[in-house]
């Protein structure tokens, strides 16, 4: 009986059956995933949780502040002395560094000067693939082109010199402002206290950064030399012209010390605080502290550093803490409408089950969404929001604290006392660490100074947006590979004599891959065009952008002309299958590009997926939609044309800027200025736009205009 049984059909594994089911229903899955991804993005302000200090050793606020009124008064006398140099008609830029060094020596610290050269923000082809030392130094230096940083170091009485905490105070050495003098006064008050305490376990470095060539340039130049052993440290001042001789060999009468000629170093940096004082605040009734944390290419400091600053500022010094937000979104009618909707759903959920805490007030949702959008945009932009970004290039956790005081000139001592105690508290917390920050998050989005969304939550939206890409690509390839039968056609039977044609058909996707490869090679050339435009043109931003568009278009037509010369290779394949294969390979390339970008800068990949998903998944030849002549087909064709228009990078940027800042402030050359800032800061977003988004956009146009 067993011999009469037929062969047993082997069932596929469940995972394979699920995959085949998803591929066969790729359109429905795409709609559901993209909709769920957008909804998840809108839900992120609701999914934010309260921040908390993860590292128990930090213990913020556990010790009583030691900074006294005498220290603050000394700081006021110090800043008044600095402001007195503004009354001088001629300034060489070395008077203030000399005063800072003298006061550091009087406190018993070590002082030295650091001369640095200004850097050019000039595009270089290899700039994105080199380290932080790859900046271009300006060739011809005049006496006034040098910057001079002043560095003070306190050696920890309980330390071994292997770790250090850095305080940074940027200022203009030629003409110092009141805010810059106040920040120097705060640092001097804290430095004065720390020179006397016995609990220090980490060295303290005070960097008075000369920002006449830019705050970031001064800090980055010092960090490069700090982390690079250079033979030329002792020759630092030999190249100075006669009018710019630094007082490095002058003896300070009170301390009897000499500032060091060499480059002085302390231990490995555990953390850094950049202290800035802005103009007086009239919006709030008390002093405002703004925290800037974004560094290059979406890097963020450990969240614990922000947590201790926020905790000590709010609970210790009663400061109003803020993080950056997109203010135009606060008045957005659609965002307020979404907030009202989520608030209503929250009330309904609470009525069904009092334990469900879903909704938040509409005003809190709008403010959280505006802050989250700013955090997401700043991370995706890849440009540091302050001089603290230079530290993240060397894996040092750092933030910029910008204080907007609300006081008259007679209350400076009280301001120095409050801010000084805040800085003292942060230093005491970091001083307690036995190792680097590691317990809390490094990838997160802020919705307020005390609420955040971790990467484990906001990556869900990204995963939902890109999930349809491989399914649609596989579905298109599968549909093309199947033989198309008419209603009365006989079942397909392969002809042994047509073996060569069958083999040829199985490799037909290579022609689409060839087109995609050539377009991506073209995008690599476009990435380098700004370098050549800089060499031959010294025009305005609008002219440079126009030249870039013309060169890109001409080079694309030239490449397509070469591509069309090989059409004899594809003459035997059906035209109806060509666009589907091209779309399939384009979607696969976009999927790979987005996944690679998520490793470099997750925020850029998130925004890129939101823009590319509707464009790549819905594109189809316009000729097919016109032939169908149905409302659905015409609507799809119209949407594809609109998505292509909006998806062009300059158009997308100008429309976004106009929607947020008003179209009265939008100029054609703004996109060039924006792109210039990206490559000047080595932002990987520039590479993404040119080598992922732009070629996908061109390939979608190719698919739309296909002669099927």
């Amino acid at each position: 009986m067993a011999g009469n049984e037929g062969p047993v059909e082997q069932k596929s594994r469940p995972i394979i059956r699920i995959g085949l089911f998803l591929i066969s229903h790729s359109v429905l899955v795409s709609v559901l995933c993209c909709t769920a991804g957008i909804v998840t993005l809108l839900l992120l302000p609701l999914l934010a949780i309260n921040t908390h200090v993860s590292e128990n050793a930090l213990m913020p606020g556990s010790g009583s502040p030691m900074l006294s009124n005498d220290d603050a008064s000394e700081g006021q006398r110090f800043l008044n002395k600095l402001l007195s140099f503004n009354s001088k008609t001629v300034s060489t830029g070395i008077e203030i560094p000399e005063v800072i060094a003298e006061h550091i020596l009087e406190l018993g610290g070590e002082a030295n000067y650091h001369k640095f050269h200004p850097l050019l923000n000039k595009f270089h082809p290899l700039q994105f693939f080199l380290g932080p030392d790859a900046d271009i130094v300006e060739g011809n230096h005049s006496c006034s082109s040098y910057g001079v940083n002043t560095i003070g170091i306190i050696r920890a009485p309980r330390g071994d010199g292997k770790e250090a905490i850095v305080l940074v105070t940027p200022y203009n050495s030629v003409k110092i402002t009141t805010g810059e003098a106040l920040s120097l006064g705060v640092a001097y008050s804290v430095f004065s206290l720390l020179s006397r305490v016995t609990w220090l376990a980490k060295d303290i470095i005070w960097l008075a950064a000369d920002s006449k060539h830019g705050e970031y340039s001064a800090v980055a130049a010092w960090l490069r030399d700090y982390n690079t052993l250079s033979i030329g440290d002792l020759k630092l001042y030999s190249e100075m012209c006669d009018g710019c001789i630094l007082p490095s060999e002058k003896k300070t009468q009170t301390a009897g010390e000499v500032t060091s000629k060499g480059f002085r170093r302390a231990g490995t940096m555990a953390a850094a605080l950049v202290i800035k004082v802005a103009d007086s605040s009239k919006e709030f009734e008390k002093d405002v502290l703004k925290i800037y944390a974004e560094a290059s290419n979406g890097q963020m400091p450990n969240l614990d550093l922000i947590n201790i600053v926020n905790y000590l500022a709010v609970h210790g010094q009663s400061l109003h803490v803020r993080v950056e937000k997109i203010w135009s979104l606060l008045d957005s009618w659609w965002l307020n409408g979404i907030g009202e909707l989520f608030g209503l759903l929250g009330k309904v959920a609470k009525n069904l089950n009092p334990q469900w805490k879903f909704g938040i007030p509409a005003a809190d949702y709008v403010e959280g969404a505006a802050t989250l959008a700013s955090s997401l945009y700043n991370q995706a932009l890849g440009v540091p929001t302050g001089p603290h970004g230079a530290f993240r290039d060397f894996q040092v956790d750092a933030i910029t604290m910008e204080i907007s005081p609300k006081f008259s000139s007679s209350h400076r001592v009280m301001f120095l006392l409050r801010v000084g105690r805040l800085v003292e508290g942060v230093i005491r917390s970091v001083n307690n660490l036995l190792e680097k920050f590691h317990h809390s998050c490094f990838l997160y989005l802020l919705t307020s100074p005390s609420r955040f969304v971790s990467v484990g939550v906001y990556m869900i939206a990204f995963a939902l947006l890109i999930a349809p890409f491989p399914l649609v690509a596989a579905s298109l390839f599968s549909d093309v590979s199947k033989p198309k039968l008419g209603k009365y056609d006989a079942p397909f039977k392969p002809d042994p004599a047509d073996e060569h044609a069958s083999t040829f058909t199985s490799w037909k996707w290579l022609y689409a891959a060839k087109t995609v490869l050539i377009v991506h090679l073209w995008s690599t050339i476009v990435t380098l065009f700004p370098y050549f435009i800089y060499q031959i043109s010294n025009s305005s931003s609008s002219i440079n952008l126009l030249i870039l568009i013309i060169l890109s278009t001409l080079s694309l037509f030239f490449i397509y002309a070469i591509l069309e010369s090989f059409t004899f290779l594809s003459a035997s394949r059906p035209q109806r299958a060509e666009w589907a294969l091209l779309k399939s390979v384009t979607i696969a390339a976009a999927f790979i590009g987005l996944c690679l970008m998520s490793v470099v800068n997750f925020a850029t990949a998130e925004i890129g997926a939101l823009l590319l998903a509707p464009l790549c998944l819905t594109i189809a030849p316009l000729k097919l939609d016109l032939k169908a002549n149905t409302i659905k087909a015409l609507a799809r064709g119209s949407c594809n044309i609109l998505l292509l228009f909006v998806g062009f990078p300059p158009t997308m940027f100008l429309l976004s800027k106009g929607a947020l800042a008003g179209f009265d402030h939008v100029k054609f050359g703004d996109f060039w200025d924006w792109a210039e800032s990206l490559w000047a800061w080595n932002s990987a977003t520039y590479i993404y736009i040119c080598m992922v988004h732009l070629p996908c956009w061109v390939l979608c146009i190719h698919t739309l205009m296909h002669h099927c």
Side-chain angles (χ1 to χ4, degrees), residues 155-393:
R155 303 295 176 178
R158 292 180 178 269
D160 54 4
K162 293 183 179 179
E163 289 185 297
I165 304 171
V166 185
L167 296 179
V168 182
T169 50
Y171 73 100
N172 191 331
S173 61
V174 177
K175 186 174 180 60
I176 189 170
T177 64
T178 304
E180 293 169 345
L182 282 169
S183 64
L184 289 170
V186 170
Y188 177 75
S189 301
V190 176
F191 200 82
S192 174
L193 168 69
L194 297 178
S195 65
R196 305 189 307 268
V197 298
T198 58
W199 45 259
L200 268 183
K202 293 178 173 61
D203 296 341
I204 301 297
I205 304 175
W206 175 19
L207 172 62
D210 185 357
S211 62
K212 65 181 179 181
H213 297 300
E215 298 175 354
Y216 188 94
S217 297
V219 177
W222 177 76
L223 280 170
R224 280 194 300 271
D225 291 341
Y226 189 94
N227 291 276
T228 304
L229 293 177
S230 175
I231 301 177
D233 286 347
L234 296 177
K235 302 178 181 178
L236 199 59
Y237 312 104
S238 60
E239 303 172 359
M240 280 287 192
C241 50
D242 295 337
C244 296
I245 298 286
L246 287 175
S248 57
E249 297 182 356
K250 292 183 180 180
K251 283 196 174 184
T252 305
Q253 299 297 328
T254 56
E257 302 255 359
V258 181
T259 54
S260 172
K261 288 185 179 181
F263 195 101
R264 304 301 294 266
R265 294 176 174 84
T268 303
M269 301 175 198
L273 292 177
V274 181
I275 306 170
K276 297 173 62 177
V277 179
D279 297 331
S280 299
S281 173
K282 298 180 180 179
E283 183 180 357
F284 298 95
E285 297 181 355
K286 52 186 178 180
D287 298 338
V288 177
L289 170 64
K290 293 182 181 178
I291 298 177
Y292 297 93
E294 292 83 5
S296 58
N297 291 320
Q299 297 182 88
M300 298 287 286
N302 191 275
L303 187 59
D304 268 346
L305 182 58
I306 298 177
N307 292 341
I308 60 176
V309 172
N310 178 64
Y311 179 86
L312 292 172
V314 173
H315 300 284
Q317 305 304 324
S318 300
L319 298 175
H320 184 91
V321 183
R322 289 170 51 190
V323 290
E324 196 173 356
K325 65 185 68 174
I326 300 178
W327 291 97
S328 58
L329 289 179
L330 297 178
D331 299 327
S332 176
W333 61 269
W334 62 270
L335 190 59
N336 281 274
I338 294 175
E340 294 288 348
L341 176 61
F342 285 150
L344 180 61
L345 292 177
K347 293 179 180 178
V348 174
K350 189 174 182 179
N351 291 333
L352 295 176
N353 189 342
Q355 296 182 351
W356 291 351
K357 298 179 181 180
F358 173 73
I360 59 176
D364 293 343
Y365 174 84
V366 172
E367 186 168 355
T371 305
L372 185 140
S374 175
S375 181
L376 184 66
Y377 173 76
N378 286 328
Q379 291 185 35
L381 195 62
V383 177
T385 53
H388 64 273
F391 288 92
R392 282 304 305 166
D393 292 335

Side-chain angles (χ1 to χ4, degrees), residues 68-89:
S68 63
N69 287 320
D70 293 337
D71 295 319
S73 299
E74 287 293 330
Q76 185 185 26
R77 285 190 287 270
F78 174 72
L79 71 89
N80 288 335
K81 189 172 183 179
L82 297 179
L83 290 174
S84 65
F85 289 105
N86 285 340
S87 60
K88 294 185 178 181
T89 56

